[in-house]
Amino acid sequence: MSTESKDVPADPSALQPSAEQELPKANFEVSPVPPNPLGEGRYIKTAAALVIGDEILNGKTLDRNSNYFARFCFENGIDLKRIEVVPDEEDDIVEAARRLVKNFDFVITTGGIGPTHDDITYQSLAAAFGQPLAHHAETLRRMGEMIKHRTDVANQTEEQRVARERMALFPAHAEVLYIAPDVWVPVVRLEGKLCVFPGIPKLFQRMVDGLARLLPLPPPDQRPFRQQIFTNLPESSIAPYLTRLQARVKDAGVRVGSYPLLAKGVYVSLIGRDREKVSALAEEVARELQGRLVSEEEAQKEKAAL
């Protein structure tokens, strides 16, 4: 169930004919915004990610999806509370899915929805929430549209066809949400909270971003602002000041974090919903710690260079 190669293809062209055939791109209908599953006037506050796959746990594949989802949550004002990784075992998936759906507003799974024997996410989630599995006719139709000109697929055996159609075998009472006109793979949602995504990073990212318009996201004024400060001082030298600072600003909803870079210095992070207050505190921190304000882009670039 590799998140790099065995899940649904990384982009729509993977189920389209080869380039020399130059056929038109798909233009499927996208899903309308569904009723708010949390209730009218409510919005997502907390989230969790469930990463599924032996290859994550044994180190074969690097999990990039949880990091992308963490950034998606932060940018949209959602408090990501958990990231869990479980093997390709039904009992583990069932237990984690039930627990996370019970405790959080928005839960995603990533991985395990391809055509092979270890792609057991859909069947495990069906078991978790007491639903039978059923082929989804519209998804089968869209899949068929994407592959109808491919001779390698047309010549598949019955066994191979059954394996391919497992990718449209969903929990029977789940919502099926289509996020883009050129992506046949839907986001399957259960219990109004748990959304099932493929594991391939490129497709995962596309689908997470595409789902945003269908979610009851927090209003803009509930989204946090983060300002980072870099100082060359060692973490032990700044610890007393940061401890006092956190105690002082905690009631104002500002979180203070410190993230050392070995033998280089420390990034201090201030996060809060009041942009003006966070900006003023950041100026104070920079003065006290002989540091400098750093933009998100600069911080990412500096950390990537290490």
Side-chain angles (χ1 to χ4, degrees):
M1 193 273 323
S2 169
T3 56
E4 294 294 342
S5 60
K6 288 172 60 184
D7 258 336
V8 185
D11 61 64
S13 64
L15 283 184
Q16 289 182 345
S18 58
E20 58 267 21
Q21 291 178 278
E22 293 296 335
L23 292 171
K25 291 181 67 175
N27 188 26
F28 298 123
E29 185 177 353
V30 298
S31 296
V33 178
N36 186 342
L38 301 179
E40 189 64 32
R42 297 184 62 191
Y43 57 83
I44 295 169
K45 294 182 179 180
T46 59
L50 180 60
V51 182
I52 299 169
D54 291 342
E55 74 280 5
I56 302 294
L57 292 168
N58 64 30
K60 175 181 176 293
T61 299
L62 175 66
D63 169 36
R64 290 185 278 159
N65 293 345
S66 61
N67 176 260
Y68 191 87
F69 184 63
R71 286 186 280 129
F72 173 88
C73 288
F74 180 82
E75 290 166 3
N76 286 284
I78 299 169
D79 193 2
L80 180 61
K81 293 288 192 180
R82 295 284 188 281
I83 297 174
E84 298 189 16
V85 185
V86 296
D88 298 312
E89 298 288 345
E90 183 170 308
D91 289 347
D92 294 278
I93 298 170
V94 167
E95 185 280 326
R98 287 174 175 168
R99 173 170 42 80
L100 296 176
V101 164
K102 179 181 178 181
N103 292 329
F104 305 109
D105 299 329
F106 179 38
V107 180
I108 69 158
T109 70
T110 171
I113 62 172
T116 57
H117 70 283
D118 54 353
D119 292 313
I120 62 170
T121 295
Y122 287 137
Q123 72 185 54
S124 300
L125 295 176
F129 300 106
Q131 299 186 26
L133 285 168
H135 283 103
H136 190 260
E138 176 60 15
T139 300
L140 285 174
R141 186 189 73 80
R142 294 181 184 218
M143 183 195 302
E145 283 293 310
M146 298 298 286
I147 63 177
K148 65 183 180 181
H149 297 286
R150 285 186 52 169
T151 55
D152 55 343
V153 176
N155 294 327
Q156 285 184 332
T157 66
E158 177 66 11
E159 187 178 29
Q160 291 169 330
R161 181 191 64 78
V162 169
R164 184 182 77 244
E165 291 184 354
R166 288 186 70 226
M167 293 187 288
L169 191 60
F170 306 151
H173 308 304
E175 293 176 85
V176 178
L177 304 172
Y178 298 104
I179 56 88
D182 60 341
V183 178
W184 68 265
V185 187
V187 175
V188 173
R189 183 164 69 180
L190 296 97
E191 304 296 300
K193 292 183 175 183
L194 188 150
C195 292
V196 183
F197 289 91
I200 292 176
K202 183 177 179 181
L203 185 56
F204 173 85
Q205 294 169 16
R206 174 90 186 279
M207 293 179 68
V208 167
D209 292 340
L211 183 67
R213 70 177 182 86
L214 304 179
L215 296 174
L217 295 174
D221 63 357
Q222 293 300 308
R223 299 176 188 179
F225 170 68
R226 175 169 54 200
Q227 178 62 62
Q228 298 188 70
I229 305 98
F230 182 78
T231 174
N232 293 115
L233 297 174
E235 196 170 30
S236 57
S237 295
I238 69 175
Y241 169 74
L242 294 184
T243 300
R244 292 191 297 271
L245 178 66
Q246 180 63 90
R248 174 158 58 94
V249 301
K250 182 178 180 180
D251 290 344
V254 178
R255 288 181 289 171
V256 180
S258 63
Y259 309 94
L261 300 181
L262 187 63
K264 289 184 178 293
V266 182
Y267 277 96
V268 176
S269 171
L270 303 178
I271 298 175
R273 288 187 167 85
D274 186 332
R275 188 184 186 100
E276 290 186 5
K277 186 173 188 62
V278 171
S279 296
L281 285 170
E283 296 285 353
E284 174 196 323
V285 172
R287 289 194 304 273
E288 292 289 333
L289 302 185
Q290 304 164 40
R292 58 183 171 87
L293 302 182
V294 182
S295 70
E296 292 289 308
E297 293 75 16
E298 289 175 307
Q300 289 182 13
K301 189 177 297 185
E302 289 177 3
K303 292 173 184 177
L306 296 176

